[in-house]
Amino acid sequence: MTTVFTVEQVAAHNKETDVWIIVHGKVYDITAFLAEHPGGKKVLVKVAGTDASKQFDQFHNAGVLEKFGPQLLKGIVGSGKPAALPFSATGEAFGDLVPFGDPYWYQDWGSPYYNQSHRKLRSYVRNFAEKEVMPFCFEWDEAKAVPKSLFKKAADAGILSCLVGNHWPTEYSPVAPPVGIKPEQFDAFHAFVVVDELCRTGSGGVSWGLFGGMGIGLPPILHFGSDAMKKRVVPQVLKGEKFICLAITEPYAGSDVANLKTEAKKTADGKHFILNGEKKWITNGVFADYFTVACRTGDAGMGGLSLLLVERSMPGVSTRQMNCSGVWASGTSYVTFEDVKVPVENLIGKENKGFKCIMFNFNNERMGIAMQATRFARVCYEDAMKYAHKRKTFGKLLIDHPVIRNKFAHMARQIEATHAWMEVLMYQSTTMDPDLQMLKLGGPVALLKAQSTQTFEFCAREAAQIFGGLSYSRGGQAERVERLYREVRAYAIPGGSEEIMLELGIRQALKVAEFMGAKL
């Protein structure tokens, strides 16, 4: 049972040997924390026995309390019990209600895309992220690794199984869908809710560390792998026991996939491929057990590509972590294959038909990047908006300066436009024939990917300007903005650079228009 204190009771604990404070209605005994406080103990002793919410908000972000609060918490101020976090029901708003800080449907605007199951899942994943992920993002990012225990927690919670496509992997998932969702009712918007809520952490490194490799490396197996391969690989990954990544990009070829050089030649007896080549910037490659590898098995060009499932246990596979500007916890790696003997049974799909599999997977990957980039843009906006309501310059709050409101207006319009376009395309993926999606959605998804990353970059810059010098320091109030600013390039380039996406989007749209009989 939660202990309730009066303000007068808290006020009695006002000495250096006995320091209690109130922060947002909760009572903390910070006596043992005085020596650890980065700002020194005197600033804490000065507010002993008082409500220090204003001072706390001025110099800290919420993650500090999430990390240290539980062991310092004594109780609450006032009477009654603290409210539990219930599932949000129809007619209820959700979250902090910062204007444009969350999608419109969080504020109970009408939407044709979401129902009560999406609302329940939203609450479920937010609780998971705020408890198991957000308090530790800075620590994990600095350590350049996500603990393996998180994968097991996410697997047991059913979260990993939500992140491998628009359908529930009933045959392979170790658990049922969360919050009572029926497997046949699981859709693209359930998967989106999970990605969106996990990305509130404001860490591309932690997000990619948890599901980046799996989200793009496992779908080719689910869609094109043999039954034996699926039964052997998929359950282990969805249980959080094994890890997989997608290995396409090379030192020689990025967006120009058709010209990659990694080569796999069949042995004389036709039982194995001998794989040689290098892959670069491979998400999760550092700790992956499985590699979904694009390689050349035939002639030059797209007609000679195949996908192979390569296993770390195979001799000749080596990886090393790369030092990148951002996404530090993602396990981004340089991968080398030297005379790796791969059984022909590890062929994903048909030999020399891998380009179609890769392109099918690209729509999924690019939509995932758009989802993450759009939420990260919101994170930058939200953190800057909250800061602008407490930081004063020239005698008034930042938010009271027209030039600052103008920045927020431009951020908001781009975020909401991108989000609306994204929902439209997701809806098509739930109604359109899969083969038709390959034809009609490739161009729009490519344009959306470019739109989302440019919006992300704009919001990261503007939020950094609002935070000023705080956004140039790792950790602290601008922790998420500083980190995300460094991670923009990790979204603007992978999955197809913005330049390639813009070109592809229009070129593909014109091809579809010609096929449909457009009068141009």
Side-chain angles (χ1 to χ4, degrees):
M1 183 175 179
T2 302
T3 305
V4 179
F5 298 94
T6 65
V7 172
E8 291 74 20
Q9 286 175 313
V10 176
H13 300 270
N14 60 3
K15 300 175 182 178
E16 186 172 328
T17 55
D18 182 22
V19 179
W20 288 21
I21 60 172
I22 301 169
V23 178
H24 300 308
K26 294 183 178 180
V27 179
Y28 298 92
D29 180 355
I30 60 172
T31 310
F33 185 71
L34 294 180
E36 299 179 43
H37 186 239
K41 66 180 180 180
K42 286 190 176 182
V43 293
L44 296 181
V45 174
K46 189 175 180 180
V47 295
T50 70
D51 188 330
S53 300
K54 184 177 180 180
Q55 294 91 330
F56 177 86
D57 288 342
Q58 187 174 0
F59 297 106
H60 305 83
N61 61 36
V64 173
L65 276 185
E66 291 168 0
K67 183 175 183 180
F68 297 103
Q71 57 264 39
L72 304 175
L73 184 65
K74 296 293 291 185
I76 63 172
V77 172
S79 59
K81 299 178 180 179
L85 286 173
F87 291 143
S88 175
T90 304
E92 293 181 5
F94 182 83
D96 291 346
L97 303 184
V98 174
F100 312 109
D102 277 316
Y104 280 128
W105 71 282
Y106 281 49
Q107 300 169 39
D108 202 44
W109 285 45
S111 171
Y113 306 122
Y114 308 98
N115 57 40
Q116 187 64 1
S117 68
H118 299 98
R119 293 183 179 90
K120 289 183 177 181
L121 184 62
R122 177 183 63 188
S123 293
Y124 179 81
V125 180
R126 178 161 293 201
N127 291 344
F128 178 90
E130 290 187 344
K131 178 184 177 183
E132 304 291 352
V133 185
M134 291 183 75
F136 314 106
C137 278
F138 182 77
E139 176 185 335
W140 294 342
D141 208 59
E142 293 290 313
K144 298 186 177 181
V146 174
K148 297 294 174 64
S149 59
L150 180 64
F151 295 91
K152 183 61 177 172
K153 290 177 181 177
D156 292 343
I159 287 174
L160 292 188
S161 295
C162 291
L163 296 168
V164 291
N166 297 340
H167 304 284
W168 187 259
T170 304
E171 190 175 349
Y172 309 107
S173 176
V175 295
V179 300
I181 300 170
K182 295 180 180 179
E184 64 272 17
Q185 294 176 338
F186 187 89
D187 62 19
F189 289 94
H190 289 110
F192 168 57
V193 166
V194 175
V195 172
D196 195 38
E197 281 295 324
L198 288 175
C199 287
R200 285 185 64 253
T201 57
S203 173
V206 171
S207 298
W208 282 13
L210 178 60
F211 61 82
M214 181 194 71
I216 57 178
L218 198 59
I221 294 176
L222 282 166
H223 290 291
F224 306 107
S226 65
D227 288 340
M229 182 186 296
K230 293 176 188 177
K231 291 177 181 177
R232 180 167 63 91
V233 175
V234 180
Q236 297 180 86
V237 175
L238 296 184
K239 288 179 182 177
E241 296 173 353
K242 295 284 187 178
F243 310 101
I244 191 168
C245 66
L246 181 68
I248 293 181
T249 303
E250 300 180 348
Y252 330 98
S255 297
D256 188 14
V257 175
N259 289 315
L260 57 80
K261 298 182 182 295
T262 296
E263 186 178 49
K265 293 184 177 181
K266 266 188 179 175
T267 55
D269 60 9
K271 293 182 178 181
H272 294 85
F273 291 98
I274 304 300
L275 180 68
N276 283 282
E278 299 85 34
K279 299 292 181 179
K280 196 173 184 180
W281 299 292
I282 304 305
T283 303
N284 295 179
V286 168
F287 55 84
D289 300 288
Y290 300 109
F291 302 78
T292 300
V293 180
C295 57
R296 187 163 304 286
T297 53
D299 296 333
M302 67 180 68
L305 299 181
S306 297
L307 285 179
L308 291 179
L309 177 67
V310 179
E311 303 172 42
R312 183 176 289 275
S313 58
M314 295 174 178
V317 178
S318 62
T319 62
R320 60 178 174 85
Q321 185 146 356
M322 297 179 63
N323 293 318
C324 301
S325 296
V327 293
W328 294 348
S330 67
T332 299
S333 69
Y334 193 100
V335 185
T336 304
F337 304 113
E338 295 183 345
D339 294 326
V340 182
K341 196 174 183 180
V342 184
V344 293
E345 291 79 12
N346 281 32
L347 180 69
I348 301 171
K350 296 181 180 179
E351 188 174 345
N352 296 328
K353 302 295 182 182
F355 191 78
K356 180 180 179 181
C357 302
I358 295 168
M359 291 300 105
F360 181 91
N361 203 51
F362 265 145
N363 273 356
N364 171 64
E365 179 179 1
R366 289 165 183 163
M367 280 298 296
I369 289 173
M371 293 174 188
Q372 294 170 54
T374 304
R375 172 52 82 171
F376 288 153
R378 285 193 193 276
V379 168
C380 292
Y381 169 95
E382 179 186 4
D383 284 4
M385 177 65 80
K386 289 180 176 179
Y387 179 70
H389 276 79
K390 63 182 181 181
R391 169 69 168 170
K392 285 187 176 182
T393 60
F394 304 103
K396 58 183 178 180
L397 293 171
L398 279 179
I399 195 63
D400 292 330
H401 293 279
V403 68
I404 298 299
R405 293 197 298 271
N406 183 267
K407 288 180 180 293
F408 284 119
H410 283 300
M411 284 191 271
R413 67 174 177 79
Q414 293 184 55
I415 290 168
E416 293 304 334
T418 306
H419 190 100
W421 191 7
M422 182 166 58
E423 288 180 325
V424 168
L425 294 183
M426 278 191 287
Y427 180 71
Q428 305 313 309
S429 73
T430 68
T431 59
M432 192 180 292
D433 180 88
D435 290 333
L436 199 56
Q437 290 182 39
M438 288 281 291
L439 173 68
K440 297 184 74 171
L441 293 187
V445 168
L447 292 177
L448 172 68
K449 195 262 185 184
Q451 166 74 10
S452 68
T453 56
Q454 290 185 356
T455 297
F456 175 23
E457 181 165 13
F458 178 83
C459 292
R461 184 195 184 280
E462 293 298 88
Q465 289 300 107
I466 291 169
F467 270 105
L470 291 174
S471 68
Y472 195 61
S473 306
R474 299 215 300 270
Q477 293 183 82
E479 173 195 326
R480 297 199 295 182
V481 171
E482 183 277 329
R483 183 168 57 229
L484 289 172
Y485 192 87
R486 284 187 283 106
E487 295 181 340
V488 167
R489 299 269 67 79
Y491 284 81
I493 298 172
S497 68
E498 289 175 350
E499 292 77 10
I500 298 295
M501 293 296 93
L502 294 168
E503 161 67 13
L504 173 63
I506 297 302
R507 182 160 44 85
Q508 188 76 2
L510 289 173
K511 284 184 178 180
V512 172
E514 182 180 357
F515 177 79
M516 299 292 290
K519 297 177 181 179
L520 295 171

